[in-house]
């Protein structure tokens, strides 16, 4: 009979039934006169079923959030106009936070205020027509500080400036609780994303994190729209040129066709490799994209090899000129944006470069800039999110570990596997390239990265700190072109990450103080210095790492090498004095010292090694019962 009721619980789980149905099963069992023992069993099975039901509901919520975020990213690649993208972000913000209203305001530099660009869940016509004077309302605080801000009761809150028009709209929309987060581009607040409840409710840290991530998506969409508008403007200019220069009609049409093909590649979410290949089909020669350091990012195939030094010189000429440079059969166009260098696109033609080839390459440069900026902005948004998560993990104050695990899951990071902390000192100015490389390392490794002053902090999966840190540090050194010094530590679990960070940071400072620039070490690798810096010094492991082979030899051969070594150190490192104190012949002592050299290596008498050996011997004496 109990089995039948247990099966009922499983069927209720499968049918996704309300909680009341689980109580009814137990009620029927009591009504049927089931014994007390069976009723207790049913109580336990009901509790387990309810826990499974809660877990299933949480899993579905996580899946729904991930799907919505994925849909937003897909919109960025598939939608051309800004309005539909921002509307989709507002809709998804409302669904993810389960709020009544979500809207986006954008700054108007010309008028010095901001305006509502997209809204979801609004019930009055006032919101879409509202303009917000600078510094007013919740949006004004967020725009001024660049930080999230929430109020529980908007109309009665005096912590910010109110205006009659804004309060009228708030009342019409029946807004009670409001949360706003900044929409940032290059550290500049270009808008505010807001979510509202029509009843008094608190916003959780999860709500803030999700809204911040959607705000990053909105920033990428706005930047994409600006670059896409520039590309469309270039197409328009090309069509005007087609109408006015009839003698070059065929060439201009070919140029426009190539540009439209490239634009479609961008809209479809393709990368710079596809842009290069598409450009190469329209010109006769090899198309190559170099980054700002002169390294090849992409190259068309099937046209032979081009000399790297020659390309770098041509790229440098184009950057100095600030515009297209042609050298008979070669053409270089710098990839220039308003804020940052991106590299150069170069055509190495089989014949003399003509005006059409130049126009095609310049259009390709514009599209390649759009692709590179889009990818870079999305990578920066992800890197900021990863860095903020690692910063929260390293903080020593009380943390919501369930929320941290959830945030990590959204980034594809398993915090149960990420146990290795690496703190690396990078001597390079500027550090943007090193920070980008650290973010790429974390992304590839399914880990996290952040920056603390002149150091890079990595949290990576693995069990061997040296093995995990070595390839990451080598890559940072290659990018910075300077030796990179790094301290490592291993966290037992997520709660030990702050302690592991402090240990790794101490190891880094110890390496620098000891003049061991360019090395990687944990506490064991620093010897007795590491034991002093370790948060949990282990005397036995230190002794084993320094004189373990000698101890093992004595144990196996029943010899007295440890005592001989100790006497040798305490007698001023003189073999004759050692022999006198041990009542042995000096040749016997010499033979024992030779055996010690075989066990510890020929450099064991060096000052630093000998100091470690003396400390280990002293610890061995005091640790014996």
């Amino acid at each position: 009979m109990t089995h039948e009721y247990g099966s009922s619980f499983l069927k209720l789980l499968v049918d996704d039934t309300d909680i009341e149905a689980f109580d009814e099963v137990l009620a029927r069992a009591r009504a049927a006169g089931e014994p007390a023992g069976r009723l207790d069993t049913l109580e336990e099975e009901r509790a387990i079923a309810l826990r499974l039901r809660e877990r299933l509901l949480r899993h579905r919520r996580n899946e729904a959030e991930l799907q919505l975020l994925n849909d937003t990213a897909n919109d960025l690649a598939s939608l051309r106009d800004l309005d539909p993208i921002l509307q989709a972000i507002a809709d998804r913000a409302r669904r993810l936070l389960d709020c009544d209203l979500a809207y986006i305001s954008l700054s108007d530099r010309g008028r010095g205020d901001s305006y509502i660009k997209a809204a979801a869940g609004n019930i009055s016509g006032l919101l879409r027509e509202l303009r917000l004077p600078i510094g007013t309302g919740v949006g004004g605080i967020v725009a001024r500080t660049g930080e999230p801000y929430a109020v529980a009761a908007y109309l009665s809150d005096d912590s910010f400036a109110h205006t009659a028009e804004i309060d009228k709209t708030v009342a019409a929309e029946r807004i009670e609780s409001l949360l706003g987060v900044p929409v940032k581009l290059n550290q500049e607040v270009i808008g505010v994303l807001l979510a509202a409840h029509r009843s008094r409710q608190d916003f959780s840290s999860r709500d803030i994190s999700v809204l911040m991530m959607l705000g990053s998506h909105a920033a990428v969409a706005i930047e994409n729209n600006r670059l896409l508008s520039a590309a469309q403007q270039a197409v328009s200019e090309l069509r005007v040129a087609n109408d006015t220069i009839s003698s070059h009609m065929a060439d201009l049409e070919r140029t426009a066709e190539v540009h439209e093909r490239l634009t479609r590649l961008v809209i479809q979410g393709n990368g710079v490799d596809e842009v290069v290949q598409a450009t190469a089909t329209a010109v006769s020669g090899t198309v190559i994209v170099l980054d700002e350091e002169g390294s090849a990012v992409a190259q068309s195939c099937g046209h032979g090899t081009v000399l790297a030094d020659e390309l770098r010189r041509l790229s440098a000429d184009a950057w100095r000129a600030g515009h297209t440079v042609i050298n008979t059969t070669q053409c270089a166009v710098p990839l220039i944006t308003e804020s940052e260098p991106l590299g150069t696109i170069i055509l190495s033609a089989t014949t003399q470069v003509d005006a059409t080839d130049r126009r095609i390459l310049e259009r390709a440069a514009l599209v390649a800039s759009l692709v590179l900026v889009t990818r870079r902005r999305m990578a920066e948004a992800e890197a900021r999110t990863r860095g903020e998560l690692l910063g929260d993990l390293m903080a020593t104050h009380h943390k919501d570990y369930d929320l941290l695990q959830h945030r990590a899951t959204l980034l594809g990071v398993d915090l149960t596997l990420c146990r290795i902390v690496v703190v690396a000192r990078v001597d390079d100015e500027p550090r943007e390239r090193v920070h980008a490389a650290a973010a790429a390392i974390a992304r590839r490794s399914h880990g996290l990265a952040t920056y603390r002053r002149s150091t890079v902090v990595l949290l990576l999966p693995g069990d061997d700190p040296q093995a995990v840190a070595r390839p990451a540090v080598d890559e940072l050194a290659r990018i910075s072109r300077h030796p990179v010094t790094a301290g490592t530590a291993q966290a037992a679990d997520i709660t030990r990450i702050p302690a592991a960070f402090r240990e790794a940071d101490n190891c880094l400072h110890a390496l620098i103080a000891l003049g061991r620039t360019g090395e990687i070490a944990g506490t064991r690798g620093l010897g007795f210095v590491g034991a002093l810096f370790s948060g949990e010094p282990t005397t036995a492991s230190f002794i084993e790492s320094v004189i373990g082979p000698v101890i093992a030899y004595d144990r196996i051969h029943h010899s007295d090498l440890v005592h001989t070594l100790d006497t040798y150190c305490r007698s001023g490192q003189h073999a004759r004095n050692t022999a006198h104190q041990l009542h042995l012949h000096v040749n016997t002592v010499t033979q024992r010292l030779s055996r010690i050299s075989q066990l510890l290596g020929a450099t064991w008498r060096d000052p630093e090694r000998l100091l470690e050996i003396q400390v280990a011997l002293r610890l061995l004496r005091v640790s014996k019962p």
Side-chain angles (χ1 to χ4, degrees), residues 304-505:
T305 303
V306 184
L307 296 177
D309 292 340
E310 187 176 350
L311 292 180
R312 292 192 186 98
R313 284 194 296 270
L314 187 63
S315 175
D317 292 341
W319 268 104
R320 281 193 295 269
H323 54 70
T324 303
V325 171
I326 298 177
N327 181 15
T328 312
T329 61
Q330 294 178 328
C331 178
V333 183
L335 306 179
I336 300 176
T337 68
E338 295 179 355
S339 57
E340 59 190 313
L342 296 173
T344 314
I345 186 169
I346 299 176
L347 167 63
S348 181
T350 55
T351 59
Q352 184 172 350
V353 176
D354 59 21
T356 303
D357 291 335
R358 171 178 177 163
R359 282 194 293 272
I360 290 175
L361 202 65
E362 287 173 344
R363 299 305 183 267
L366 183 62
V367 175
S369 298
L370 172 61
V371 171
L372 292 173
V373 166
T374 300
R375 297 295 173 85
R376 186 170 294 186
R377 291 294 175 268
M378 294 183 72
E380 288 173 354
E382 181 183 348
R384 283 195 298 272
T385 304
R386 290 175 180 268
E388 290 167 359
L389 175 56
L390 181 52
D392 291 342
L393 286 168
M394 293 190 300
T396 56
H397 57 73
H398 176 71
K399 294 183 281 291
D400 185 343
Y401 290 107
D402 289 338
L403 175 60
L404 294 174
Q405 292 276 12
H406 175 68
R407 290 168 58 188
T409 301
L410 292 177
L411 294 171
V413 176
D414 188 347
L415 292 180
T416 62
L417 301 178
C418 290
R419 304 174 58 198
I420 306 303
V421 178
V422 181
V423 182
R425 172 74 174 269
V426 181
D427 297 319
D428 183 30
E429 293 288 348
R431 295 190 174 88
E432 287 78 7
R433 295 176 65 252
V434 174
H435 292 175
I441 292 169
R443 186 169 56 253
R444 290 196 310 269
S445 305
H446 301 288
L448 301 173
T450 190
Y451 325 107
R452 295 290 181 93
R453 296 180 296 278
S454 61
T455 60
V456 172
V457 183
L458 298 169
L459 178 64
L460 302 173
D463 296 312
D464 185 340
Q466 282 286 330
V468 171
R470 172 53 63 189
V473 171
D474 288 346
E475 183 170 345
L476 292 176
R478 184 173 64 256
I479 294 297
S480 69
R481 300 176 183 173
H482 290 84
V484 173
T485 309
T488 65
Q490 183 170 353
D493 53 52
I494 186 174
T495 64
R496 301 297 298 166
I497 290 176
F501 165 71
R502 292 192 298 271
E503 181 179 334
D505 192 47

Side-chain angles (χ1 to χ4, degrees), residues 3-22:
H3 176 71
E4 177 186 347
Y5 290 119
S7 299
S8 298
F9 287 134
L10 292 177
K11 187 175 185 304
L12 293 176
L13 283 173
V14 172
D15 295 339
D16 198 17
T17 312
D18 293 336
I19 294 178
E20 290 76 7
F22 293 80

